Amino acid sequence: MPGFHTHITVSTAVGIGYAVWGGTQYDLPISTCLLAGGLCSVGGVMPDLDSDSGVPSRETIGFAAAIVPMLVFNKLQVYGLTIEQMVLFGAPMYLLIRFGLGTIFKSANVHRGMFHSIPAAVIAGLIGYLVCDSGVHLVHNYKAFAVGLGYLVHLILDEIWSVDVHHGRVKKSFGTAMKFFGENPGSTMMTYCVLCLLLMFAANEQTQPPTP
């Protein structure tokens, strides 16, 4: 299967293309396009949070802990929070993501489980949607789709690597990335419960005022 460096390289290349597309087709600000490209790049390593090796999980969680509080600041402004209140909100969030999520992922996940699935890619996009901005507008959707796109790139690469063209065979891992259901019914049910919950939150987001 492709390694961490392959995933981050390809998802970054796709992110660059996505950023260029957003700037040329929709005339979006350069900062927005660069951020979306970066989100696509990070999305490309998110499925390996369940990896047996510590590198993908450690790097992804560390980046998420740093960037998510900053992304949320833009949303918190809509609710009238002061800078001091946002800092007080962001610090615990950093600690929770940096140390809490790492422990949970390490103990609860199996590699190539439901983290490698189509519903998980949708979940990643929904998380991006809920974290970035507020209201219904192009920039909000553009950033959110970047996360899901990067995630999907990872899954596609895993499936491509499952086909051994040189020896003319298909590996056992084929079909374990782009799937809708896992081998563990409990994990599958939990994934779809999270998906439904995030869909409800995203639907509620439609009623929020757009970010100034």
Side-chain angles (χ1 to χ4, degrees):
M1 65 182 68
F4 175 78
H5 293 293
T6 301
H7 282 304
I8 194 69
T9 299
V10 176
S11 62
T12 299
V14 173
I16 292 172
Y18 187 70
V20 172
W21 175 73
T24 56
Q25 295 297 314
Y26 295 101
D27 198 28
L28 295 173
I30 294 177
S31 58
T32 298
C33 295
L34 291 176
L35 177 58
L39 291 173
C40 180
S41 178
V42 174
V45 295
M46 285 177 65
D48 275 347
L49 283 170
D50 63 1
S51 176
D52 296 330
S53 66
V55 175
S57 178
R58 184 174 63 251
E59 295 295 332
T60 305
I61 289 176
F63 185 86
I67 196 68
V68 168
M70 289 188 288
L71 292 173
V72 173
F73 282 177
N74 196 29
K75 179 185 287 285
L76 294 178
Q77 285 182 321
V78 176
Y79 297 98
L81 270 68
T82 65
I83 297 296
E84 291 81 4
Q85 290 172 328
M86 288 190 285
V87 171
L88 290 174
F89 182 87
M93 180 179 291
Y94 169 84
L95 295 174
L96 176 63
I97 296 174
R98 182 68 180 83
F99 300 105
L101 289 184
T103 303
I104 293 173
F105 288 139
K106 199 173 288 186
S107 61
N109 287 298
V110 178
H111 189 49
R112 284 299 182 102
M114 283 303 289
F115 256 81
H116 284 73
S117 68
I118 299 298
V122 178
I123 288 173
L126 287 171
I127 292 174
Y129 185 81
L130 293 170
V131 169
C132 298
D133 302 337
S134 294
V136 183
H137 51 89
L138 175 61
V139 172
H140 194 176
N141 296 332
Y142 178 70
K143 292 177 184 177
F145 187 77
V147 182
L149 175 62
Y151 205 105
L152 190 60
V153 167
H154 181 114
L155 302 184
I156 293 172
L157 281 176
D158 280 349
E159 294 293 7
I160 291 174
W161 254 253
S162 296
V163 179
D164 188 347
V165 178
H166 182 69
H167 295 94
R169 66 186 181 90
V170 177
K171 300 177 184 177
K172 291 181 179 180
S173 59
F174 183 77
T176 59
M178 297 187 68
K179 60 180 180 288
F180 288 90
F181 303 96
E183 296 181 358
N184 187 325
S187 177
T188 300
M189 183 178 296
M190 178 64 69
T191 300
Y192 278 97
C193 286
V194 172
L195 176 59
C196 291
L197 184 63
L198 292 178
L199 282 171
M200 287 190 293
F201 284 137
N204 181 65
E205 190 79 12
Q206 307 294 310
T207 64
Q208 300 299 323
T211 303

